[in-house]
Amino acid sequence: MTSHKTTQTMKPATAAKKLGVYLEATPAEFQEGVVTRSELNALQAEPPQWLQELRRNGPHPRPVVASKLGVSIAGLARGGVTEALTTEQIDALKQENPEWLQKERTTQAEVRKEAVRIKEKQAEEAERRQSGS
């Protein structure tokens, strides 16, 4: 009996997430089909024009918008941003620099600083345990 290797597939939503693009902005044939692991790898290695355009100009999914603005996804929601935004809209928000964005960026910076502090503390504790002190 020979074993056949099954092709690993994923839903378009999963593939879009892995590619960092907004599913609703992808071509219909992408949205309606399934994506194999090898197709995903090919899209990442040599992105077609539509994928390059989406990554450059959007609309971008919320995780990408949050990253470009330097805030969390929850921070976007608190700021009233619930939809995908284009690069142009993100740049306009950066220019306006509304109060909510300033506040969320500050919060995000504090969260990152705290994460680094905790990681360093854990590393020190692990080092102490190894040295037997």
Side-chain angles (χ1 to χ4, degrees):
M1 186 166 106
T2 59
S3 64
H4 294 285
K5 189 172 184 180
T6 58
T7 304
Q8 187 180 13
T9 61
M10 62 193 82
K11 295 177 184 172
T14 304
K17 192 176 205 177
K18 289 180 181 287
L19 292 169
V21 295
Y22 186 56
L23 177 62
E24 286 76 10
T26 61
E29 60 270 12
F30 181 87
Q31 293 180 39
E32 295 162 3
V34 293
V35 180
T36 66
R37 174 66 61 189
S38 58
E39 288 170 338
L40 178 71
N41 291 341
L43 286 170
Q44 289 172 323
E46 292 182 35
Q49 187 62 42
W50 66 264
L51 182 54
Q52 291 175 31
E53 189 66 25
L54 271 180
R55 286 179 168 168
R56 189 177 317 115
N57 299 317
H60 303 287
R62 287 181 308 154
V64 174
V65 173
S67 175
K68 287 179 178 276
L69 290 173
V71 300
S72 66
I73 294 172
L76 278 181
R78 286 190 293 270
V81 178
T82 56
E83 298 298 316
L85 298 180
T86 63
T87 300
E88 193 175 304
Q89 291 169 314
I90 292 168
D91 291 343
L93 254 178
K94 286 179 179 177
Q95 287 295 318
E96 291 170 26
N97 201 16
E99 190 176 324
W100 72 265
L101 182 56
Q102 294 172 35
K103 182 179 177 219
E104 291 300 334
R105 282 179 165 169
T106 301
T107 300
Q108 189 70 2
E110 290 169 2
V111 167
R112 287 188 186 119
K113 210 182 313 181
E114 180 63 7
V116 167
R117 186 191 69 77
I118 290 169
K119 190 174 183 179
E120 287 172 350
K121 183 179 177 187
Q122 289 172 340
E124 287 173 14
E125 289 172 0
E127 197 175 302
R128 269 199 301 272
R129 282 193 299 269
Q130 279 184 334
S131 64
S133 307

